[in-house]
Amino acid sequence: MRKEKAKKHFLGQEGHVKLNCAQAVIKAYHDVFSASQQDVDSFAAYGAGKAPGGRCGAYYAAQYLIQKKDPQRGVILEREFSSAAGSLKCKDIRGQRKLTCLGCVEKAAELLEGGRQ
């Protein structure tokens, strides 16, 4: 399951390169959404609340990918991620403590897979 792959990249487990939240999501789904290694590399700048507007990097990466394939699902992704995390902004998410950074990676991956858990 790609959600587990994203998690392993974020944590640097089982031979996976440790990546920030945004890169972990992009890397786990790069082939499904036709993203390149250059995309993975460029998302190095979007971890730790540095995505545009202070958004969560995992959310920002998922939104980037979904826009490539199914822009209409982007609205659903935004609504469901915000509901689960309490916000789209990294600083707010951390302050509310509804989801950890790992939880954000997992939620973004889950939403990319089209399921809810």
Side-chain angles (χ1 to χ4, degrees):
M1 182 187 256
R2 291 180 189 276
K3 178 178 164 181
E4 288 301 312
K5 189 174 182 179
K7 181 179 171 179
K8 289 175 185 174
H9 275 300
F10 182 71
L11 297 173
Q13 292 179 331
E14 297 179 24
H16 290 79
V17 175
K18 184 169 176 40
L19 301 170
N20 72 28
C21 57
Q23 289 177 294
V25 172
I26 295 283
K27 184 73 173 175
Y29 292 90
H30 75 279
D31 55 338
V32 175
F33 291 94
S34 301
S36 67
Q37 182 61 43
Q38 184 177 0
D39 289 323
V40 175
D41 295 342
S42 71
F43 273 73
Y46 299 137
K50 295 178 187 167
R55 285 177 282 189
C56 167
Y59 162 75
Y60 186 72
Q63 196 61 263
Y64 171 81
L65 291 173
I66 209 71
Q67 292 300 319
K68 290 171 94 54
K69 202 165 195 174
D70 187 0
Q72 293 179 335
R73 269 187 56 210
V75 174
I76 296 166
L77 187 144
E78 180 176 328
R79 182 182 65 237
E80 292 192 9
F81 187 90
S82 181
S83 176
S87 179
L88 297 178
K89 293 189 174 191
C90 180
K91 184 177 179 180
D92 295 342
I93 294 168
R94 287 196 235 170
Q96 293 176 36
R97 298 181 183 185
K98 284 181 81 173
L99 288 179
T100 63
C101 292
L102 177 59
C104 288
V105 169
E106 291 174 318
K107 179 51 76 176
E110 183 180 302
L111 293 170
L112 283 173
E113 290 176 11
R116 291 187 282 180
Q117 295 180 357

